[in-house]
C-alpha cells in the first residue's frame, strides 16, 4: 500500500508547482522520457520542467526521506535511546561546518557546483571519526558514550559554524549557508541521484540483513552477548554505515531534522518492534512524508521557498509530543 501511495505521491508532486500539470499529463511526459517517445514542440518547455527540474528533485526527496527513516531506526537500536536520530552523533553538524568552510573560503572551487556537497561530506566523515575516537575505550563502544560524545561535538561544531559565519565577509554566502543548514532540495539534479540512490538502497539492505542483530542490541549488551552477538563489533560496523549514509544525504540535502526521529516511532506503533518489519516499512513511510514536505516547502510561499527543516519541524514536534503523551506507547513496542 505504501509503495502505491509513494508512486502516486511522486507523480502528483512532480506535476504541482508554479506550472501545474495534471497527473495524467505528468505520467505521459515521464513515460515519454523513459521510453524515448516524442513530445510536441509546443510542449517542450513543460516537458523540460517536468523531467529536468522537478523529477530529480522529487526522486531525491524520496531517497533522502527513505534513508533518514532507515538510519533513524538503526541509531535508536544502536544507542538504545528513543530520542536518537541520524544527527545525534554530530554527523550533521560536522557536515554543516564543512559546507560553511567551503562557502566562506571559496575552497574546492575546481569542483564547481559540487564544492559545497564535497565539503559537507568531508565534514561528516571527520565528525564521525572524532565521535568514534572520543567515545571508544579499549575497543568498546558504550551507547551512553556515543550519545554524550555526539551531543557534545554537535554543540561544538555548531559554535564553530556560528563563529565562521559571524566573521564571514560575504553576506550572500552567509544566507546561502543558513538556508543550506536547514535543508532543501533546490539544487537537486540528475547527477546526484545515482550516488545517493546506491548508498541509500545498499545501506537499507545491509541494515535489513542485520535486523536480528538490531533486535538483540536493543535489549542490552549483556543480553546480546548471551545470545552470541558481539555488541561492540556490530556497533562499530553499524556506526561506519550510519555515518556514511548520513554524510551522503546531508551533502545533497542539508540537515533535515525530525524525519529520522519520528518516523521509526510511528512505524513501530503500526507494525511492532521487530526490526525486520520496521525496516521494511519505515523507508517507504519516510519517502512519502518527505515528498509531500518538499512539495509544501516549494509551493506554500511561492515563488519563495521555505527551508525544508522548518516544515519537518512544524510537523515533527507536535507528532512527537503526542507520541510521548500516549501512555500506551513505549519505545520498542506498545
Amino acid at each position: 500500500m505504501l509503495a502505491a501511495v509513494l508512486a502516486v505521491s511522486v507523480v502528483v508532486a512532480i506535476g504541482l508547482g508554479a506550472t501545474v500539470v495534471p497527473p495524467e499529463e505528468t505520467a505521459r511526459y515521464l513515460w515519454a522520457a523513459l521510453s524515448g517517445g516524442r513530445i510536441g514542440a509546443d510542449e517542450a518547455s513543460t516537458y523540460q520542467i517536468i523531467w529536468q527540474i522537478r523529477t530529480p528533485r522529487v526522486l531525491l526527496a524520496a531517497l533522502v526521506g527513505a534513508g533518514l527513516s532507515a538510519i533513524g531506526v538503526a541509531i535508536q537500536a544502536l544507542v538504545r535511546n528513543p530520542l536518537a536520530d541520524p544527527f545525534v552523533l554530530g554527523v550533521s553538524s560536522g557536515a554543516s561546518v564543512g559546507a560553511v568552510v567551503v562557502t566562506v573560503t571559496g575552497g574546492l572551487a575546481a569542483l564547481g557546483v559540487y564544492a559545497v556537497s564535497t565539503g559537507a561530506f568531508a565534514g561528516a566523515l571527520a565528525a564521525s571519526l572524532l565521535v568514534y575516537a572520543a567515545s571508544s575505550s579499549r575497543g568498546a563502544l558504550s551507547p551512553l558514550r556515543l550519545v554524550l560524545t555526539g551531543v557534545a561535538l554537535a554543540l561544538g561544531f555548531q559554535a564553530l559554524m556560528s563563529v565562521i559565519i559571524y566573521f564571514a565577509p560575504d553576506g550572500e554566502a552567509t544566507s546561502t549557508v543558513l538556508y543550506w543548514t536547514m535543508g532543501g532540495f533546490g539544487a537537486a539534479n540528475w547527477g546526484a541521484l545515482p550516488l545517493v540512490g546506491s548508498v541509500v538502497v545498499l545501506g537499507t539492505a545491509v541494515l535489513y540483513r542485520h535486523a536480528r542483530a538490531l533486535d538483540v542490541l536493543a535489549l542490552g549488551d549483556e543480553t546480546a552477548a548471551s545470545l552470541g552477538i558481539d555488541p561492540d563489533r556490530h556497533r562499530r560496523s553499524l556506526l561506519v554505515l550510519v555515518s556514511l549514509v548520513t554524510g551522503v544525504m546531508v551533502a545533497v540535502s542539508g540537515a533535515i531534522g525530525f524525519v529520522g526521529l519520528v518516523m521509526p516511532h510511528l512505524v513501530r506503533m503500526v507494525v511492532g518492534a521487530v526490526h525486520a518489519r520496521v525496516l521494511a516499512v519505515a523507508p517507504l513511510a519516510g519517502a512519502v512524508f518527505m515528498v509531500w514536505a518538499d512539495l509544501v516547502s516549494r509551493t506554500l510561499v511561492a515563488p519563495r521557498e521555505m527551508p525544508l527543516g522548518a516544515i519537518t519541524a512544524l510537523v515533527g514536534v507536535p507528532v512527537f509530543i503526542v507520541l510521548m503523551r500516549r501512555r500506551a506507547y513505549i519505545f520498542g513496542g506498545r
Side-chain angles (χ1 to χ4, degrees), residues 4 46 101 139 177 205 210:
T46 304
V101 171
V177 168
H210 288 78

Side-chain angles (χ1 to χ4, degrees), residues 17 48 51 54 65 80 97 118-119 166 229-230 278 292 303:
Q48 291 296 322
W51 182 247
R54 293 185 188 170
R80 300 202 307 271
V97 171
T118 303
Y166 181 79
I229 299 293
D230 185 348
V278 178
W292 286 101

Side-chain angles (χ1 to χ4, degrees), residues 11 43 68 132 147 151 202 292 314:
V11 174
E43 300 176 305
L68 289 176
Y132 177 80
V147 173
V151 171
L202 290 176
W292 286 101
L314 289 174

Side-chain angles (χ1 to χ4, degrees), residues 6-253:
L6 176 60
V8 173
S9 299
V10 167
V11 174
V12 172
I14 291 174
L16 294 179
T19 300
V20 178
V21 181
E24 62 274 12
E25 289 297 308
T26 301
R28 184 171 67 86
Y29 289 137
L30 294 177
W31 177 249
L34 295 173
S35 63
R38 293 185 177 182
I39 297 295
D42 58 329
E43 300 176 305
S45 60
T46 304
Y47 172 79
Q48 291 296 322
I49 293 173
I50 293 296
W51 182 247
Q52 295 296 339
I53 298 176
R54 293 185 188 170
T55 299
R57 174 171 183 150
V58 173
L59 293 180
L60 185 62
L63 287 172
V64 171
L68 289 176
S69 299
I71 295 301
V73 173
I75 288 183
Q76 289 174 3
L78 181 69
V79 300
R80 300 202 307 271
N81 191 324
L83 297 178
D85 70 355
F87 305 125
V88 73
L89 300 182
V91 179
S92 173
S93 299
S96 299
V97 171
V100 168
V101 171
V102 170
T103 303
V104 173
T105 63
L108 304 178
L111 298 177
V113 296
Y114 299 103
V116 175
S117 297
T118 303
F121 184 68
L125 291 184
S128 302
L129 292 175
L130 284 175
V131 169
Y132 177 80
S135 59
S136 62
S137 177
R138 299 178 181 178
L141 283 176
S142 166
L144 181 59
R145 281 177 175 268
L146 276 174
V147 173
L148 294 179
T149 303
V151 171
L153 288 179
L155 294 174
F157 286 136
Q158 290 175 6
L160 178 60
M161 181 178 64
S162 299
V163 171
I164 296 175
I165 292 176
Y166 181 79
F167 287 103
D170 188 353
E172 183 177 352
T174 301
S175 300
T176 301
V177 168
L178 289 176
Y179 178 84
W180 185 88
T181 55
M182 296 192 71
F185 300 106
N189 56 70
W190 284 110
L193 284 176
L195 175 61
V196 179
S198 300
V199 170
V200 170
V201 171
L202 290 176
T204 304
V206 172
L207 289 177
Y208 187 84
R209 187 176 180 182
H210 288 78
R212 177 58 179 167
L214 291 174
D215 288 335
V216 177
L217 286 175
L219 299 176
D221 289 2
E222 294 182 359
T223 302
S226 66
L227 294 175
I229 299 293
D230 185 348
D232 292 324
R233 181 174 64 84
H234 279 82
R235 198 168 282 120
R236 282 194 297 269
S237 60
L238 288 174
L239 177 62
V240 173
L241 177 63
V242 164
S243 300
L244 175 63
V245 178
T246 304
V248 170
M249 291 188 295
V250 172
V252 297
S253 66

